[in-house]
Amino acid sequence: MAEEQNKTVAQNQEEFLANFNWHNYEEGIDQVEDEQLKEFENLVEKNFVDTADEEVVEGEVIHITDREAIIDINAKSEGVISLNEFRYNPDLKVGDKVEVLIDVREDKSGQLVLSHRKARTIKAWDRVNDAHDKGEVVNGYVKCRTKGGMIVDVFGIEAFLPGSQIDVKPIRDYDQYVNKTMEFKVVKINHEFKNVVVSHKALIEADIEEQKKEIIGQLEKGQVLEGVVKNITSYGVFIDLGGVDGLIHITDLSWSRINHPNEVVELDQKLNVVILDFDDNKSRIQLGLKQLQAHPWEALGDEVKVGDKVKGKVVVIADYGAFIEVADGVEGLIHVSEMSWSTHLRSAQDFVNVGDEVEAVVLTLDREERKMSLGIKQLTPDPWTDITTKYPVGSKHKGTVRNFTNFGVFVELEEGIDGLIYISDLSWTKKIKHPSEFVNVGDILEVVVLELDVDGRKLSLGHKQTTANPWDKYEDDYAEGTVHNGAIDEIVDKGATVTFNEDIVAFIPSRHLEKEDGSKLKKGEAADFKIIEFNKEFKRVVASHTAIFKDEEKKNVKAATKASNNAEKTTLGDLDALQELKDKMEGK
């Protein structure tokens, strides 16, 4: 048994010595199986990085210092990269995979110096083009502002972000986006000039479009939604309902009157609104804000009734009246005719101004129609109440000329008491075609009450009656047959005119202009005239110059005839007297 064991050991020793690698033994290298060597070579070839190669490789961040990032790229040693190259990615952390390019194989300390920026630049254009072709979303770091927009770092390439492509709403502060990492879509590439244009708005619009379809599909009248004030104009407010815009007209913002929507809302304010109406495709949506509150008329107390006095503020003035807000959202109209007892209508601006606090009386009240009419003049007594005492017929007064008509003048005796002077009662002597020839608006005029109609609230006045009628005196002074001296003023159709005084202008017919020598009077020529017609009612005076010597002739003829009859009874001694009479008649 022992012999067999010794025999086996001897055989094994012989085989070991026969197969022993004396070369490896002499070189001091442990024996390694060939298969293991081959496997090791394959692993090295597969995983170990050749630091002489300029290809972009992927590394892993294994440590971060204050200024550098340590990157493992499966080389003999780790590499370092300045953190400045990762400003676009402030969230860089241990374990992140990054692309790098070997910048220096080994520095003095034996470390690799890597470049992430160069690696990004090499790969950037491929990635940018690929993102543009596929419409992929990319991350970018907003570096700074520039004219018209922002500069964005995308894969190491400086891309342009237009201001209009930042957001769907107007941007008021561009600086808020600087040093921020955002998502973008590559919208345009200019290969010739190496320009890249990106958009953040395109991503928002895509999301909004989906939201919009969903929101529009669910819209119903009367639905209450939350929105954000997007824009404010003078006529209303645009509300963003989450991708869908609606308009609140200024009249639907508040039950009270407002001058501008910014009195009620402000930009970016969140508020609830109600859908009032929309068109068929729901592209125009009409919203309301005041409809979410009870109508102020519903809160108006039952104690307010016709005849009550109320106080309010003038909110709107028109020519026909003024609107008074007697409570929040509750308005009443004071018509201009209810502002004064005067029947002479004026503009409402003559009585009140916007913002005035006024007191008024409730004249009508319709709660169902939500209408109220008010009056100011009712706060004072009606001046027509004792009109017969203050303005009896025949009494004289002074008034202010307020208005003209073709047929007369309206004169205000006091507030609420107007009377009419017919054009024929303005002057005893002047022929007036229009009242403006006699007085002006605002003039103070003396008047006499001619007629008074209390029920009809009408007062008839006269101005000429305040003085005596001069034609009563002229009727005696210029009676028919009286003779007056004057000069021809004008030669008119069928005659001429002569002015005897400021009131009397006499007409001289053509045949009565003839002088004793057969010629006719001319303009400016003075002569005696005999009144042949005087009409006080129509103020008509007709005179004649010819009648002066014609009457003389008749008188002389009459005298001659009488003398001739007496001649038969005279003696020859009277013949001289007859001759003298004859010579006189012949003008000798």
Side-chain angles (χ1 to χ4, degrees):
M1 186 72 177
E3 292 179 358
E4 290 181 358
Q5 291 178 344
N6 291 332
K7 187 178 181 178
T8 302
V9 171
Q11 288 177 350
N12 290 338
Q13 289 176 345
E14 290 177 359
E15 290 177 2
F16 174 78
L17 291 173
N19 295 325
F20 186 75
N21 190 334
W22 293 100
H23 174 75
N24 289 345
Y25 175 75
E26 291 174 355
E27 296 292 330
I29 301 174
D30 292 337
Q31 183 179 3
V32 180
E33 294 184 0
D34 291 340
E35 291 182 1
Q36 290 179 328
L37 288 172
K38 198 169 187 178
E39 183 180 355
F40 179 72
E41 289 174 357
N42 290 336
L43 289 172
V44 170
E45 182 180 355
K46 183 176 180 181
N47 296 306
F48 194 71
V49 174
D50 184 2
T51 57
D53 197 344
E54 293 185 354
E55 290 184 2
V56 176
V57 297
E58 186 179 68
E60 180 181 349
V61 180
I62 61 174
H63 184 66
I64 297 177
T65 68
D66 292 340
R67 295 188 302 172
E68 297 173 330
I70 310 301
I71 311 296
D72 180 12
I73 60 170
N74 287 331
K76 289 192 302 178
S77 61
E78 289 83 10
V80 293
I81 298 177
S82 173
L83 287 180
N84 288 334
E85 298 190 23
F86 293 100
R87 283 195 306 173
Y88 76 94
N89 183 13
D91 298 326
L92 182 70
K93 62 183 182 298
V94 174
D96 286 353
K97 301 292 184 180
V98 293
E99 291 178 337
V100 296
L101 183 71
I102 299 173
D103 202 13
V104 179
R105 295 179 64 181
E106 286 185 359
D107 62 5
K108 293 180 180 180
S109 61
Q111 282 188 320
L112 294 172
V113 179
L114 307 177
S115 174
H116 178 60
R117 183 182 294 111
K118 291 180 180 179
R120 292 182 72 212
T121 302
I122 292 173
K123 293 291 186 180
W125 279 102
D126 293 337
R127 290 182 176 180
V128 166
N129 282 285
D130 190 55
H132 179 263
D133 295 339
K134 294 181 180 179
E136 294 178 348
V137 178
V138 298
N139 285 329
Y141 174 76
V142 182
K143 296 177 66 176
C144 62
R145 284 193 61 180
T146 188
K147 184 178 180 180
M150 317 286 287
I151 298 298
V152 180
D153 185 326
V154 179
F155 303 136
I157 295 177
E158 288 191 347
F160 177 60
L161 171 63
S164 61
Q165 295 299 314
I166 298 176
D167 206 335
V168 291
K169 58 185 179 181
I171 303 300
R172 292 182 287 276
D173 180 16
Y174 285 83
D175 292 332
Q176 63 179 315
Y177 296 97
V178 177
N179 297 328
K180 284 190 177 181
T181 299
M182 301 168 60
E183 291 184 334
F184 300 98
K185 189 173 183 180
V186 181
V187 294
K188 187 177 181 180
I189 298 177
N190 188 321
H191 294 279
E192 181 179 355
F193 297 101
K194 298 293 183 181
N195 289 337
V196 179
V197 180
V198 296
S199 171
H200 180 67
K201 177 182 176 181
L203 301 178
I204 300 176
E205 287 178 336
D207 293 338
I208 288 177
E209 194 61 33
E210 292 298 323
Q211 296 176 11
K212 188 174 181 179
K213 291 180 181 178
E214 183 178 351
I215 292 173
I216 287 178
Q218 298 174 354
L219 288 182
E220 294 180 2
K221 292 181 182 179
Q223 185 179 11
V224 177
L225 299 173
E226 184 182 66
V228 178
V229 177
K230 181 178 180 181
N231 192 20
I232 298 176
T233 68
S234 60
Y235 56 86
V237 178
F238 287 94
I239 304 295
D240 182 359
L241 300 174
V244 180
D245 288 350
L247 173 65
I248 307 177
H249 194 268
I250 187 172
T251 57
D252 290 316
L253 282 170
S254 172
W255 291 113
S256 301
R257 289 181 185 266
I258 58 175
N259 296 317
H260 197 278
N262 56 22
E263 298 176 18
V264 180
V265 298
E266 58 186 19
L267 283 173
D268 300 326
Q269 179 183 352
K270 287 186 178 181
L271 42 79
N272 290 330
V273 293
V274 60
I275 297 176
L276 301 180
D277 201 0
F278 45 73
D279 56 8
D280 294 338
N281 57 8
K282 299 182 180 178
S283 61
R284 293 184 179 180
I285 304 171
Q286 182 182 347
L287 305 174
L289 181 63
K290 70 179 184 181
Q291 288 78 5
L292 295 176
Q293 302 172 351
H295 197 288
W297 272 85
E298 297 175 5
L300 187 65
D302 294 336
E303 66 276 7
V304 179
K305 56 187 180 299
V306 174
D308 287 350
K309 293 181 181 179
V310 293
K311 291 183 178 180
K313 182 179 179 181
V314 179
V315 290
V316 174
I317 292 181
D319 287 337
Y320 57 85
F323 288 92
I324 311 299
E325 188 175 51
V326 298
D328 289 340
V330 179
E331 295 178 2
L333 172 65
I334 304 179
H335 193 271
V336 68
S337 63
E338 302 297 339
M339 292 182 174
S340 169
W341 288 108
S342 174
T343 56
H344 172 64
L345 292 181
R346 284 172 277 176
S347 176
Q349 287 92 336
D350 295 335
F351 299 96
V352 294
N353 297 309
V354 173
D356 287 353
E357 294 287 342
V358 299
E359 187 177 27
V361 176
V362 179
L363 302 181
T364 63
L365 182 63
D366 189 337
R367 294 180 181 272
E368 292 184 1
E369 293 293 329
R370 294 169 178 169
K371 291 181 180 180
M372 180 190 303
S373 63
L374 307 172
I376 294 178
K377 70 181 185 182
Q378 288 76 10
L379 296 172
T380 58
D382 184 352
W384 280 82
T385 303
D386 55 350
I387 189 72
T388 54
T389 304
K390 291 190 294 184
Y391 301 102
V393 173
S395 59
K396 290 184 178 182
H397 308 276
K398 287 185 178 180
T400 304
V401 176
R402 289 298 185 192
N403 196 12
F404 292 144
T405 67
N406 290 330
F407 53 84
V409 179
F410 284 100
V411 175
E412 185 179 59
L413 300 180
E414 65 173 86
E415 185 75 22
I417 304 295
D418 288 349
L420 174 64
I421 304 176
Y422 282 99
I423 196 169
S424 59
D425 288 319
L426 287 173
S427 174
W428 290 112
T429 57
K430 293 181 180 180
K431 294 181 178 179
I432 302 170
K433 294 181 179 179
H434 191 273
S436 60
E437 300 173 8
F438 187 79
V439 292
N440 298 313
V441 172
D443 286 353
I444 303 299
L445 209 60
E446 289 190 352
V447 295
V448 173
V449 178
L450 303 181
E451 295 180 13
L452 180 60
D453 181 358
V454 178
D455 295 333
R457 299 173 78 94
K458 292 180 180 180
L459 200 61
S460 178
L461 306 174
H463 171 66
K464 71 181 184 180
Q465 288 81 0
T466 59
T467 60
N469 187 354
W471 286 84
D472 291 338
K473 183 174 181 297
Y474 297 153
E475 190 174 20
D476 296 330
D477 294 345
Y478 293 88
E480 292 182 11
T482 58
V483 177
H484 306 273
N485 187 269
I488 301 295
D489 286 333
E490 297 288 343
I491 302 298
V492 297
D493 187 31
K494 297 182 180 180
T497 59
V498 174
T499 300
F500 291 131
N501 62 29
E502 61 179 4
D503 296 325
I504 296 180
V505 177
F507 175 69
I508 315 299
S510 294
R511 69 178 185 275
H512 291 278
L513 290 171
E514 186 178 345
K515 296 189 291 186
E516 192 171 2
D517 61 2
S519 63
K520 288 192 175 183
L521 293 171
K522 298 179 181 179
K523 182 176 180 180
E525 190 172 355
D528 287 335
F529 296 90
K530 185 177 183 179
I531 305 300
I532 59 176
E533 181 183 345
F534 183 90
N535 189 317
K536 183 177 73 172
E537 182 179 356
F538 296 103
K539 299 179 179 60
R540 175 180 171 84
V541 177
V542 181
S544 170
H545 171 69
T546 305
I548 296 293
F549 65 84
K550 288 290 185 182
D551 288 346
E552 187 68 23
E553 285 182 359
K554 290 181 180 178
K555 186 187 297 183
N556 291 338
V557 169
K558 185 176 181 181
T561 303
K562 183 177 180 181
S564 178
N565 293 332
N566 292 334
E568 296 177 359
K569 302 177 182 180
T570 62
T571 61
L572 291 174
D574 294 325
L575 292 177
D576 291 336
L578 292 174
Q579 184 63 44
E580 183 181 353
L581 177 62
K582 180 178 180 183
D583 291 342
K584 185 178 181 180
M585 291 179 62
E586 292 176 354
K588 295 181 180 180

